[in-house]
């Protein structure tokens, strides 16, 4: 890493849409105005981070951290002269995503949706795993209302590998069948994600730990029939619902 000086023209180039990273947070005008007022009063108090990505991307340089700060400096006619920026050279996209995740964790924590979007939008040359991210992203889009974190817990073999760009599926057929049941429970009975985690945990334990077969048709019909004939507001805790699923599925 080193510190370089960039003038307003260079900063203006960096905030052009084609030069911004596909997955980084959108530039918000209100935040830019807030940064502009702060700079006018106090000056630039922290250095933006610029990535040298010339080894794998035609853009050559892009903003890693400080989009709103750079936008404020570039657009404010009262701010003159170059500003200091940290320049860091990156070998690959994995290093870029890792750094942005870490920098955002000091401000606003990255969640599973951020990681999924990053690897889906920016990781097309991650050939070994890109199709997995594309498939999970499309599944997430198709099952509206099911949180991304739930999808990752249900589909991914390892959440750490998912964040590192190495998503592998545990058992897609099993996961999709459980997801479909969860979606129906959400749609018909408004079951929230923390409740549905009870079903996920029960099914994963039975399938992967106990190595016992699940009759998905029986599971779905028994859950739906029982909930239609009981107080749907009962068993909304994760562990309560997990026990409820066990009782309903195994009853004679």
């Amino acid at each position: 890493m080193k510190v370089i000086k960039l003038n307003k023209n260079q900063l203006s180039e960096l905030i052009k849409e084609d030069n911004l990273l596909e997955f980084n947070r959108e530039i918000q005008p209100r935040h830019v105005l807030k940064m502009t007022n702060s700079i006018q009063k106090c000056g630039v108090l922290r250095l933006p981070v610029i990535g040298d990505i010339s080894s794998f991307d035609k853009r050559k340089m892009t903003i890693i951290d400080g989009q709103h700060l750079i936008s404020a400096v570039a657009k404010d006619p009262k701010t003159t002269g170059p500003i200091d920026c940290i320049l860091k050279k990156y070998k690959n996209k994995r290093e870029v995503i890792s750094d942005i995740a870490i920098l955002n964790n000091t401000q606003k924590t990255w969640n599973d949706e951020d990681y999924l979007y990053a690897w889906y939008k920016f990781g097309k040359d991650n050939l070994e795993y890109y199709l997995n991210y594309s498939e999970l992203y499309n599944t997430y889009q198709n099952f509206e209302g099911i949180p991304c974190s739930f999808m990752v817990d249900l589909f991914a073999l390892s959440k750490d590998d998912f964040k590192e760009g190495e998503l592998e599926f545990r058992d897609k057929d099993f996961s999709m069948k459980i997801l479909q049941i969860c979606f129906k429970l959400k749609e018909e009975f408004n079951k929230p994600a923390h409740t549905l985690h009870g079903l996920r945990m029960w099914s994963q334990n039975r399938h992967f730990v106990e190595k016992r077969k699940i009759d998905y048709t029986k599971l779905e019909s028994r859950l739906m029939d029982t909930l239609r004939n009981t107080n749907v507001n009962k068993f909304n805790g994760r562990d309560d619902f997990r026990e409820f699923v066990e009782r309903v599925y195994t009853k004679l």
Side-chain angles (χ1 to χ4, degrees), residues 42-164:
C42 309
V44 177
L45 298 179
R46 66 181 180 89
L47 303 186
V49 179
I50 309 300
D52 176 353
I53 57 174
S54 57
S55 62
F56 58 87
D57 196 293
K58 64 181 181 180
R59 286 171 288 195
K60 297 184 179 179
M61 290 204 307
T62 191
I63 301 169
I64 303 298
D65 183 55
Q67 289 187 152
H68 291 91
L69 189 155
I70 289 177
S71 295
V73 173
K75 295 177 180 180
D76 180 18
K78 296 181 181 179
T79 304
T80 59
I83 65 167
D84 289 337
C85 301
I86 295 171
L87 179 68
K88 182 175 179 180
K89 187 173 181 62
Y90 291 90
K91 298 176 183 176
N92 51 56
K93 293 179 178 180
R94 178 168 299 167
E95 290 183 352
V96 173
I97 292 175
S98 177
D99 265 14
I100 291 179
I102 292 170
L103 288 165
N104 275 280
N105 277 338
T106 65
Q107 301 163 42
K108 182 177 180 180
T109 305
W110 255 33
N111 55 35
D112 290 334
E113 186 176 12
D114 292 317
Y115 282 104
L116 177 59
Y117 192 66
W119 284 113
Y120 171 65
K121 286 292 186 179
F122 192 51
K124 291 185 178 180
D125 59 352
N126 183 23
L127 296 179
E128 186 176 356
Y129 301 101
Y130 173 72
L131 290 179
N132 290 346
Y133 284 96
S134 176
E135 189 169 349
L136 185 59
Y137 179 83
N138 289 324
T139 301
Y140 174 49
Q141 296 299 309
N142 289 332
F143 286 85
E144 185 177 355
I146 301 293
C148 185
S149 59
F150 184 90
M151 295 276 194
V152 175
D153 288 338
L154 182 59
F155 280 87
L157 181 62
S158 164
K159 180 165 281 193
D160 288 339
D161 289 344
F162 160 77
K163 292 180 178 180
E164 290 293 323

Side-chain angles (χ1 to χ4, degrees), residues 12-32:
S12 296
E13 282 295 314
L14 287 173
I15 59 172
K16 288 182 177 179
E17 186 173 352
D18 289 345
N19 291 328
L20 295 172
L21 291 170
E22 295 86 341
F23 61 88
N24 225 335
R25 300 183 190 278
E26 292 183 6
I27 296 175
Q28 303 295 327
R30 291 179 62 185
H31 195 177
V32 172

Side-chain angles (χ1 to χ4, degrees), residues 165-178:
E166 298 179 357
L167 169 65
E168 291 186 80
F169 293 119
R170 183 177 297 181
D171 183 330
K172 283 194 294 185
D173 183 60
F174 158 83
S175 298
M176 183 58 71
K177 287 175 179 175
I178 296 301

